[in-house]
Amino acid sequence: MVLASSVKVVLGSIAFAIFWVLAVFPTVPFLPIGRTAGSLLGGMLMVIFQVITPDQAYHAIDLQILGLLFGTMVVSVYLERADMFKYLGKLLSWKSRGAKDLIFLTEFVLKIARQHNLPPHPFLLALASSANIGSAATPIGNPQNLVIAIKSKIPFGKFLIGLLPAMIMGVIVNTLLLLCMYWKLLSIEKDEEDLAAELIAEEEVNSHRFSPATMSRFTSFNSQEWNSRSEVMAVQSSPSMSIPIRHVENLRNRTIPSENEIQGVLSGSLESARISNASNEAANDVSSQVKEETIPSKRISSMDRLRDVLSVLSSVGKDDLTRRWKKMLWKPCVYLVTIGMLIALLVGLNMSWTAITAALALMVLDFRDARPSLEKVSYSLLVFFCGMFITVEGFNKTGIPSTLWDFMEPYSKIDRVSGITILAIVILVMSNLASNVPTVLLLGAQVAASAAAVSAADEKKAWLILAWGSTVAGNLSLLGSAANIIVCEQARQAPQLEYTLSFWTHLKFGVPSTLIITAIGLTLIR
């Protein structure tokens, strides 16, 4: 593609640069509006600068990707309501004091490191890097894989088979690299001071908001110990509870009435009884006259009360049935719908409509207003994708990405080892400069077209290489992926367990890990 006019190239580059700065650094001092507003601003500038037309901007928004994102987010909301994450936590032998509280992995890692007097950064690096590598295996593992799956039309099953061996080997190699780099740091023998610090850390962990399941020993007192301790406490506290005998006798004397008081009370009660009998006889004479008139009305009122009671009982019965159905059948239905969605994706049905259908099925089965669940959907992410689609489409219209690819294409042939190596390096660099999703949107069509000229199998392999490279590239630096930022922020804000994972600490491990794992994975992609 030939470069556009110099005006469009300059203005389009400015709009894309603004989008990139706000996407990578959402809280810049001169324009702290965030990623979502930054993506909308970049897309709007593309239209205002007339790099693309409004109709082209609307067509740039991929509704299939948005539908797949929306459907998977709704399904995840209902899975959370069905306590799936709580059950997964129990499988991992973790338990919190509150039934509804779940242990966040970052906080759990910090507590375990504090308890064993170990440095936290190897565990935090393992958590973030493994999350990135593991997300590469499926089309719904991360946003860039969603884009690739929709653009390439590779079925879910073939996508999984193509990247699963690379993902498994990547996790294994990543673990070995962590052990090799931090083995000495993790295997230092502890002296007495370290053991004392470990005991203190264990007490801090136990008093924390979350507690592992192994700490249930604190509630395992037997009845004999408790009884013996309670008896000792009673014996120790008995002297302070003793009362002088004279004080007791005074109380008894005060509570015993005299004979004159008793006779006065009896005479007063007899007079009150006579007065009440006379009033009752007068009331019986009046009530006997209207007794026959009030009997039908009493029967009617009693029937109305009986109906009210029956209606209340029926409503209570319905509520009990609803609760029983919720308790016994609703959660299994949520899991079955989710499994059905995964099976439909493996079969090769349309991923977007499959996810939306599963989301609607869960709303219907819930049999209540879906607004609270829909409010948990990250609509800001959907809006961010809309703005990004428009911005990237406008930057493509400038001709800059295609010109750069025309320069690199002769050296990036998919049928040569050197070509795959250069392609992987380009993907790694661009994913850390422009982020992984824009990289996929910018390079996807060109890489696929170049590989399709060789064979259809190479076209599929090129898409999978793009998915693998753009995902593993997130491990290169701290700002390379959302998982890295989430782990870093959670560690920094963890109560009583604060730890700052620095940029250089991550980079020391990220560079060799990313290069080695990317190279090994490229040999396993088919």
Side-chain angles (χ1 to χ4, degrees):
M1 181 179 177
V2 183
L3 281 172
S5 62
S6 58
V7 177
K8 285 189 176 181
V9 170
V10 173
L11 294 178
S13 300
I14 292 173
F16 185 80
I18 292 174
F19 160 76
W20 178 82
V21 170
L22 294 177
V24 179
F25 308 103
T27 58
V28 289
F30 60 88
L31 198 63
I33 61 176
R35 291 187 177 91
T36 303
S39 68
L40 289 178
L41 179 61
M44 185 60 66
L45 289 177
M46 289 292 183
V47 177
I48 292 175
F49 294 158
Q50 296 184 355
V51 180
I52 58 175
T53 64
D55 291 335
Q56 290 174 338
Y58 284 124
H59 288 296
I61 299 174
D62 198 322
L63 295 179
Q64 291 193 58
I65 296 175
L66 296 180
L68 183 56
L69 280 172
F70 173 78
T72 52
M73 283 191 287
V74 173
V75 172
S76 66
V77 169
Y78 280 96
L79 285 174
E80 182 180 2
R81 284 185 51 195
D83 297 330
M84 188 197 73
F85 303 110
K86 184 179 74 173
Y87 296 146
L88 289 177
K90 288 182 178 179
L91 289 177
L92 295 173
S93 298
W94 298 336
K95 183 177 68 176
S96 60
R97 292 182 181 177
K100 295 182 180 180
D101 291 337
L102 295 173
I103 293 180
F104 297 97
L105 292 178
T106 303
E107 200 167 348
F108 177 78
V109 164
L110 291 173
K111 287 189 293 186
I112 294 299
R114 174 76 64 85
Q115 180 178 352
H116 295 280
N117 196 27
L118 295 173
H121 62 275
F123 301 96
L124 295 175
L125 290 172
L127 178 61
S129 57
S130 299
N132 286 327
I133 298 170
S135 67
T138 65
I140 58 176
N142 52 59
Q144 62 267 20
N145 281 11
L146 288 176
V147 175
I148 291 172
I150 296 296
K151 297 289 185 182
S152 65
K153 298 180 180 179
I154 299 176
F156 190 97
K158 291 184 178 180
F159 197 104
L160 177 63
I161 294 173
L163 286 175
L164 185 62
M167 185 272 290
I168 295 174
M169 186 58 64
V171 172
I172 295 174
V173 173
N174 187 66
T175 305
L176 294 176
L177 288 174
L178 283 166
L179 292 175
C180 291
M181 292 185 66
Y182 299 105
W183 179 260
K184 292 183 179 180
L185 191 63
L186 298 175
S187 61
I188 297 175
E189 294 183 0
K190 301 177 184 178
D191 53 11
E192 294 180 357
E193 295 180 357
D194 293 335
L195 293 175
E198 180 180 352
L199 293 176
I200 296 173
E202 185 175 358
E203 292 179 357
E204 292 179 355
V205 169
N206 296 336
S207 62
H208 197 260
R209 182 163 57 96
F210 299 112
S211 59
T214 56
M215 297 179 185
S216 61
R217 58 186 175 85
F218 290 101
T219 60
S220 63
F221 290 112
N222 55 25
S223 60
Q224 293 179 356
E225 289 181 349
W226 179 255
N227 292 331
S228 61
R229 293 189 180 186
S230 62
E231 289 175 358
V232 172
M233 292 173 64
V235 170
Q236 292 176 353
S237 61
S238 59
S240 62
M241 297 298 292
S242 61
I243 301 174
I245 299 175
R246 294 180 181 177
H247 184 64
V248 174
E249 290 179 353
N250 291 331
L251 291 175
R252 288 179 181 176
N253 294 329
R254 290 179 184 178
T255 56
I256 298 173
S258 62
E259 294 180 359
N260 295 328
E261 291 176 353
I262 295 172
Q263 291 177 359
V265 171
L266 290 174
S267 62
S269 62
L270 290 174
E271 291 178 358
S272 62
R274 291 174 183 175
I275 295 171
S276 62
N277 289 330
S279 61
N280 288 332
E281 290 177 358
N284 290 329
D285 293 337
V286 175
S287 61
S288 62
Q289 296 177 359
V290 297
K291 187 174 182 180
E292 295 179 356
E293 297 178 357
T294 57
I295 289 175
S297 61
K298 289 182 179 180
R299 290 179 179 176
I300 294 172
S301 62
S302 62
M303 292 296 293
D304 293 336
R305 291 178 182 175
L306 182 60
R307 291 174 183 174
D308 294 338
V309 171
L310 291 176
S311 63
V312 170
L313 290 175
S314 63
S315 63
V316 171
K318 291 179 181 179
D319 293 338
D320 290 339
L321 290 175
T322 304
R323 291 175 182 174
R324 290 178 183 176
W325 183 85
K326 282 278 188 181
K327 186 176 181 180
M328 297 177 61
L329 297 178
W330 185 73
K331 290 182 182 180
C333 287
V334 173
Y335 301 145
L336 289 175
V337 169
T338 306
I339 294 172
M341 181 188 74
L342 295 176
I343 293 175
L345 293 174
L346 288 171
V347 170
L349 298 181
N350 184 278
M351 288 190 287
S352 178
W353 283 108
T354 298
I356 294 174
T357 302
L360 290 174
L362 293 176
M363 294 180 197
V364 173
L365 288 173
D366 194 23
F367 205 68
R368 66 171 66 179
D369 189 3
R371 186 182 304 172
S373 297
L374 293 176
E375 288 176 351
K376 296 182 180 180
V377 174
S378 179
Y379 295 101
S380 61
L381 178 63
L382 301 178
V383 175
F384 171 80
F385 266 79
C386 291
M388 182 178 60
F389 287 143
I390 298 172
T391 306
V392 172
E393 180 65 19
F395 191 61
N396 280 328
K397 291 293 183 182
T398 62
I400 296 176
S402 58
T403 302
L404 293 176
W405 177 249
D406 291 340
F407 175 75
M408 296 296 300
E409 183 180 9
Y411 309 100
S412 304
K413 293 293 184 180
I414 200 73
D415 56 346
R416 297 196 299 265
V417 176
S418 60
I420 295 176
T421 303
I422 294 176
L423 178 61
I425 293 173
V426 171
I427 294 172
L428 289 176
V429 173
M430 286 195 64
S431 295
N432 280 274
L433 291 179
S435 188
N436 40 29
V437 178
T439 297
V440 168
L441 292 173
L442 290 171
L443 292 180
Q446 285 84 0
V447 172
S450 177
V454 180
S455 66
D458 287 333
E459 180 182 5
K460 174 196 167 186
K461 184 178 180 180
W463 282 111
L464 295 180
I465 289 175
L466 184 59
W468 177 252
S470 61
T471 300
V472 180
N475 288 336
L476 187 68
S477 67
L478 188 61
L479 302 176
S481 69
N484 298 343
I485 298 174
I486 290 172
V487 170
C488 180
E489 288 299 314
Q490 283 187 347
R492 187 174 62 85
Q493 298 176 3
Q496 300 178 359
L497 299 167
E498 300 89 348
Y499 182 83
T500 300
L501 182 64
S502 66
F503 180 87
W504 296 109
T505 301
H506 189 284
L507 194 67
K508 290 178 183 177
F509 170 76
V511 171
S513 172
T514 302
L515 295 177
I516 294 173
I517 292 173
T518 302
I520 293 175
L522 291 175
T523 61
L524 300 175
I525 294 175
R526 294 291 181 268

